[in-house]
Amino acid sequence: MSEPVSITIGNLMDQTTARFPDKEAVVYPELGLRYTFSEFQALCNRVARGLISLGIKPGENIAIWATNVPEWVTTQFASAKMGAVLVTVNTSYRVHELEYLLRQSDSTTLLLIDSFRGVSYTDMLYEICPELNECEPGQLESKRLPRLKNVIFIGDERKPGMFTWGDLLECAENVSDEELARVQSSLKPDDVINMQYTSGTTGFPKGVMLSHKNIVNNAINVAACQNITENDRICIPVPFFHCFGCVMGTLASVATGAVMVPLISFDPLKVLQAVQNEKCTALYGVPTMFIAELNHPEFDTFDLSSLRTGIMAGSPCPIEVMKKVVDVMGASEITIAYGQTESSPVITQTRTNDTIEQRVSTVGRVLPHVEAKIVDPATGEEVAPGEQGELCTRGVHVMKGYYNMPEQTAKAIDNDGWLHTGDLATVDEDGYYKITGRLKDMIIRGGENVYPREIEEFLYQHPKILDVQVVGVPDELYGEQILACIKVKEGETLTIEEVKDFCTGKIARYKIPHYIQVVDEYPMTASGKIQKFRLRENAIKELGLGTK
């Protein structure tokens, strides 16, 4: 087997641009925006020079809180060229989560849009940093976020204390192309360049540190599993703040010379329009996205004959959905991918020539330069093919660690370099993996990982709540929904509306419990441990949810 690729993202971009200078690189159908590789490279270089002009150094953490706007992907490659670590912020975050991420990540710069789905990002930031109202851009002295200095508003409107995107482009004039080239040439493939926050069983999200080498190799290998070349056009409706969008999507496009066709946010009608009008050959999504597209009332009016491949990932794929994507959408070479942020993200993927059974019942085989094994969680010994155990993985894709969390890193990656995924799986004689369950009690709701502990920690802050246990229960549309079983303090009463109101605006909408039960007792083991599986079973019966 050949060696893993060892190149920085900036140099990779320059190589691809040299090969395909006049070929389309980025297309935004909604905005009528089209860049060739040379145009996109020039814009990314300019933004990189602007970031240097603001005093941002290689290795410094800069955060971006935005939908899939063109400035997001431009910032991704611009920051990679000048060495700043891009910290991606979930678009569903609210005040509580944003403040935690900006503080824990030591971010010195934040780029943000105005609002999304009627929620004002700028209002939330002013709530955390009221000092922005009084300061000059770049001069922030925040009590709650002492590291944060620069706020860049993605737009032309003047906001107190913030640079505009236009200001950033103007700042570029202060830095020469030679200076950018010098900085870019000083970067190493093993440097951390991307940081994504994943919820943890500790109750607080952890910053996953990914290097150029981690994500470049993952992007190349994920693209190879789909036979992606410069002749392909990839429709990307999944969010950039996840690896699915910014590694498997945008970076894979730049690695191969394929055209990226992003959507600013997911809308099934816009996906169908983009695939038809831009003749997309690949389509990405979680199962719920494909379901929404297939069930759109106008689905039959679209010509999707250009579709060949793509990726379905994020949560287990129902067999009927996969068959419809192949037979009705025509994506006969669609692939399934499995992984997690800590593994850049893909560990296993099906190939275009795998049978439909293999693509539906398994998550494929390991990528190149990736090892995997199934171990007995109790002994750590490898188990025989067909036996269930914890999936562990090692190789070029494993993260550098969690930011400023050495103990958590040591728990995740053992002394021999194996990342313990926490997922239960089996592998057959041919090397095809099946995910069978989870060691941790993580909930996967519509492709989003939700960790009960994080929601429990948040709800404990409610003055009337004595105890709370959060579990996942089956849901036809989202795969799982969140149930909170709450014990109320003596003498208090608590309504479902009060709980939901307490959550609204403070935690992401997808983390707000869908079901809320007030209980007197929890089912316990003899040693006093709460049996979450019993809470789940009882709720399935009481709520009439069937089995999963």
Side-chain angles (χ1 to χ4, degrees), residues 147-163:
R147 294 289 182 95
L148 190 64
K149 295 297 169 206
N150 308 302
V151 179
I152 301 166
F153 178 66
I154 297 173
D156 300 324
E157 198 184 326
R158 287 265 156 222
K159 302 270 186 185
M162 301 186 191
F163 293 107

Side-chain angles (χ1 to χ4, degrees), residues 194-497:
N194 183 288
M195 199 152 95
Q196 302 189 29
Y197 274 75
T198 182
S199 293
T201 48
T202 56
F204 294 102
K206 302 188 283 277
V208 175
M209 298 187 290
L210 302 174
S211 68
H212 295 266
K213 196 170 180 178
N214 284 152
I215 59 179
V216 164
N217 279 278
N218 215 261
I220 289 169
N221 292 326
V222 161
C225 287
Q226 305 167 77
N227 296 330
I228 296 283
T229 70
E230 69 272 16
N231 300 316
D232 283 290
R233 301 171 74 85
I234 306 174
C235 182
I236 311 171
V238 293
F240 288 162
F241 65 78
H242 275 322
C243 282
F244 201 170
C246 71
V247 177
M248 299 152 77
T250 59
L251 187 53
S253 298
V254 167
T256 56
V259 185
M260 62 178 96
V261 184
L263 293 183
I264 292 169
S265 61
F266 175 70
D267 176 313
L269 182 61
K270 287 180 179 172
V271 172
L272 297 169
Q273 288 167 339
V275 171
Q276 172 184 278
N277 298 341
E278 292 300 326
K279 298 194 164 30
C280 294
T281 57
L283 175 60
Y284 288 2
V286 298
T288 48
M289 289 180 174
F290 284 101
I291 291 166
E293 292 148 16
L294 287 160
N295 291 313
H296 194 278
E298 294 177 45
F299 177 82
D300 291 336
T301 66
F302 288 95
D303 175 5
L304 308 178
S305 58
S306 59
L307 270 186
R308 173 184 68 79
T309 188
I311 302 172
M312 201 184 297
S315 54
C317 170
I319 186 160
E320 292 310 314
V321 177
M322 186 66 164
K323 284 183 172 166
K324 278 185 179 169
V325 171
V326 170
D327 298 335
V328 184
M329 272 191 168
S332 58
E333 298 181 5
I334 191 90
T335 66
I336 295 279
Y338 158 77
Q340 51 189 210
T341 309
E342 289 89 340
S343 57
S344 300
V346 178
I347 299 168
T348 66
Q349 190 173 350
T350 60
R351 306 322 197 243
T352 55
N353 57 357
D354 284 336
T355 65
I356 185 85
E357 280 68 33
Q358 286 168 326
R359 285 187 274 166
V360 169
S361 62
T362 81
V363 291
R365 294 170 287 141
V366 292
L367 294 183
H369 315 297
V370 168
E371 293 177 79
K373 64 179 181 178
I374 309 289
V375 302
D376 182 326
T379 64
E381 295 297 311
E382 200 163 345
V383 300
E387 279 187 41
Q388 180 177 272
E390 184 185 11
L391 193 152
C392 298
T393 187
R394 181 168 72 176
V396 70
H397 59 313
V398 173
M399 65 171 178
K400 304 278 274 193
Y402 296 120
Y403 184 71
N404 281 350
M405 290 186 173
E407 287 176 14
Q408 296 297 331
T409 302
K411 280 184 194 171
I413 304 171
D414 66 26
N415 292 335
D416 295 321
W418 290 97
L419 172 70
H420 291 249
T421 64
D423 287 326
L424 296 170
T426 60
V427 61
D428 66 19
E429 301 279 3
D430 298 320
Y432 285 85
Y433 287 79
K434 284 185 186 180
I435 305 303
T436 54
R438 295 188 293 280
L439 269 179
K440 306 164 189 166
D441 54 5
M442 182 180 75
I443 300 162
I444 302 182
R445 181 196 176 278
E448 289 280 3
N449 291 358
V450 180
Y451 287 81
R453 182 72 183 274
E454 188 183 356
I455 301 170
E456 289 162 1
E457 295 268 1
F458 174 74
L459 287 175
Y460 278 131
Q461 297 171 32
H462 193 289
K464 292 185 181 179
I465 291 177
L466 175 68
D467 200 357
V468 56
Q469 296 294 322
V470 169
V471 294
V473 292
D475 183 82
E476 276 185 17
L477 180 61
Y478 289 102
E480 285 184 290
Q481 279 287 13
I482 299 162
L483 163 71
C485 300
I486 293 170
K487 277 188 184 176
V488 180
K489 288 179 181 171
E490 205 167 328
E492 298 280 7
T493 56
L494 183 67
T495 65
I496 289 170
E497 287 67 36

Side-chain angles (χ1 to χ4, degrees), residues 502-517:
F502 182 72
C503 297
T504 303
K506 295 199 187 76
I507 60 172
R509 192 180 299 163
Y510 69 84
K511 296 179 188 172
I512 297 175
H514 185 74
Y515 301 106
I516 293 162
Q517 293 181 333

